[in-house]
Amino acid sequence: MMNPAILLENNLAWANSQKSNFPDFFPKSAEGQSPGFLWIGCSDSRVPPSRITGSDPGQIFVHRNIANLVVENDANLQAVLQYSVEALKVPNIVLCGHYRCGGVQAALNGCPYESVNQWVRPIVDLAKVHSEELERLEETARINRLCELNVLAQADLLAQSKIVRTAWENGQPLQIHSWIYQIESGKLEVLREPFVSASA
Ligand code: CO
């Protein structure tokens, strides 16, 4: 079991080194944020957005949930989306999934946790739509293909959301990216060209 004190010690060391290397960093941070990205990703501990993209505090506004879902009646997601698009005017939204996603696996095979099974129900429906393709694959390939299909489906939902469509109608620059992270290599893959407008 990891001692939580290690997190506090590491934080202090980080804060001190950040302050001595970049004296303007914390005073500037305190003035406000202007992130270039909204990141919608999985809660999985192996996919920390800032760390895997070499980003600093202040660069990425983040929403994470199990299996990176865009759910219309999720008040948390809607608040994050509206604030980042309308107030912060982020020019990019990255919908990022990852291979070997436990949430996607739960959608295919079920899991012992009822709240998780309920949460991933949209992926169960998605798997039904693509059952012919998925059934031809072996277990790991099937999970990973559904991870990809899930990223594409969630990015589609984002592009169709009222908040994003309104931003595009108003001529606000806003791209939606569909990415997936490979746990084995630490590398991000672009699944398709970004959506740049309502015609996407
Ligand atoms: Co996951």
Side-chain angles (χ1 to χ4, degrees):
M1 186 70 74
M2 191 159 178
N3 184 348
I6 194 81
L7 298 184
L8 298 171
E9 285 168 25
N10 288 344
N11 165 257
L12 190 59
W14 171 78
N16 287 336
S17 97
Q18 193 76 0
K19 189 181 172 186
S20 66
N21 292 328
F22 310 99
D24 291 345
F25 182 80
F26 291 118
K28 269 228 162 315
S29 277
E31 284 169 17
Q33 61 172 333
S34 181
F37 305 88
L38 165 61
W39 178 281
I40 299 174
C42 184
S43 298
D44 194 303
S45 63
R46 298 167 296 180
V47 197
S50 294
R51 190 70 180 264
I52 65 172
T53 59
S55 300
D56 287 325
Q59 294 181 318
I60 308 181
F61 202 77
V62 175
H63 177 81
R64 292 169 77 178
N65 60 46
I66 289 179
N68 39 269
L69 294 184
V70 173
V71 175
E72 201 178 2
N73 61 6
D74 177 353
N76 183 350
L77 173 91
Q78 293 302 327
V80 169
L81 183 61
Q82 183 164 38
Y83 186 73
S84 59
V85 170
E86 295 182 9
L88 299 174
K89 299 206 163 19
V90 292
N92 297 282
I93 303 176
V94 175
L95 194 298
C96 186
H98 67 100
Y99 293 114
R100 300 175 178 273
C101 181
V104 170
Q105 201 168 338
L108 273 178
N109 304 329
C111 81
Y113 311 106
E114 191 40 49
S115 54
V116 174
N117 288 328
Q118 199 161 333
W119 173 250
V120 299
R121 206 156 290 167
I123 313 178
V124 176
D125 296 337
L126 182 67
K128 280 186 194 140
V129 173
H130 296 276
S131 61
E132 212 170 298
E133 178 187 2
L134 293 169
E135 275 162 18
R136 285 198 300 267
L137 301 170
E138 304 221 14
E139 177 72 3
T140 305
R142 182 183 306 140
I143 292 165
N144 286 343
R145 179 59 183 147
L146 189 52
C147 291
E148 293 176 350
L149 292 168
N150 182 46
V151 167
L152 300 175
Q154 303 313 314
D156 285 348
L157 287 171
L158 262 184
Q160 292 156 15
S161 71
K162 189 160 195 306
I163 290 164
V164 169
R165 281 187 294 120
T166 303
W168 279 334
E169 278 161 22
N170 294 339
Q172 187 176 329
L174 179 60
Q175 298 196 355
I176 297 178
H177 307 270
S178 308
W179 294 358
I180 195 160
Y181 177 77
Q182 203 173 38
I183 304 254
E184 298 94 322
S185 69
K187 286 180 182 164
L188 286 163
E189 293 171 23
V190 175
L191 284 178
R192 67 177 162 199
E193 290 297 303
F195 294 152
V196 297
S197 73
S199 60

